[in-house]
Amino acid sequence: MFVAFFFGKLQPNFYCIMHYWLLKTEPEAFSWEDLQREGQSHWDGVRNYAARNHLKAMAVGDLALMYYSGKERAIVGVVRIVTAAYQDPSTDDERWVAVRIAPQRLLARHVTLDEIKTDPQLAEMVLLRISRLSVQPVTSNEFEHILQLADNAKHG
């Protein structure tokens, strides 16, 4: 953590960089509506080392895009990380972690995978390069662009 010298004492720096992520789910297993109903939920069950490492890198306050895989294939909302990585409650194996999330914003409209694939500003998204990865980083530019697409009715 960054620290700042303030009135002769070391103080935590509250200007830490926020990171952005994409979390994949099948809506039949866990949907936006499920998350809203629960208010908060753990994001668990990840059994891929790269995805697990991304969970471990998440910090409280980071934002993530909730992506429906399966039939719909679209980004549907934004969630906030409310608890950093901890032992995954779905297993006793200490290698696996979970994070706790809360709903932040339902998108005005879903941003589909087909739309992402054809948008030059999103051509380098991990979603397109490593499509099976269930937890992945998103750049701040990609994140903001997706929010703009979701708010732009002419694409719908």
Side-chain angles (χ1 to χ4, degrees), residues 17-21 58-64 79-84 100 104:
I17 297 171
M18 180 181 298
H19 293 98
Y20 301 94
W21 309 93
M58 291 178 180
V60 172
D62 282 357
L63 297 176
V79 303
R80 180 173 298 280
I81 308 306
V82 295
T83 304
R100 195 154 187 80
Q104 181 73 21

Side-chain angles (χ1 to χ4, degrees), residues 35 38 69 85 104 117 129 131 147:
L35 179 59
E38 293 179 22
S69 58
Q104 181 73 21
K117 284 180 177 179
R129 294 184 291 114
S131 62
L147 296 184

Side-chain angles (χ1 to χ4, degrees), residues 67-132:
Y67 177 88
Y68 283 172
S69 58
K71 200 179 344 176
E72 185 170 353
R73 297 184 182 163
I75 296 169
V76 300
V78 177
V79 303
R80 180 173 298 280
I81 308 306
V82 295
T83 304
Y86 58 92
Q87 172 63 45
D88 186 332
S90 69
T91 182
D92 292 330
D93 188 334
E94 294 178 3
R95 292 177 294 175
W96 306 113
V97 299
V99 295
R100 195 154 187 80
I101 62 170
Q104 181 73 21
R105 172 184 170 195
L106 177 64
L107 297 184
R109 69 171 191 84
H110 297 180
V111 178
T112 68
L113 179 60
D114 287 340
E115 190 175 348
I116 293 167
K117 284 180 177 179
T118 60
D119 192 313
Q121 292 186 53
L122 302 174
E124 295 301 315
M125 276 190 82
V126 174
L127 179 64
L128 302 178
R129 294 184 291 114
I130 310 173
S131 62
R132 296 185 56 86

Side-chain angles (χ1 to χ4, degrees), residues 42-48 55 88-91 96-98 134:
H42 50 266
W43 199 268
D44 64 355
V46 172
R47 299 297 182 267
N48 172 285
L55 287 175
D88 186 332
S90 69
T91 182
W96 306 113
V97 299
S134 64

Side-chain angles (χ1 to χ4, degrees), residues 1-2 12-19:
M1 177 181 281
F2 296 102
N13 181 350
F14 296 102
Y15 301 103
C16 294
I17 297 171
M18 180 181 298
H19 293 98

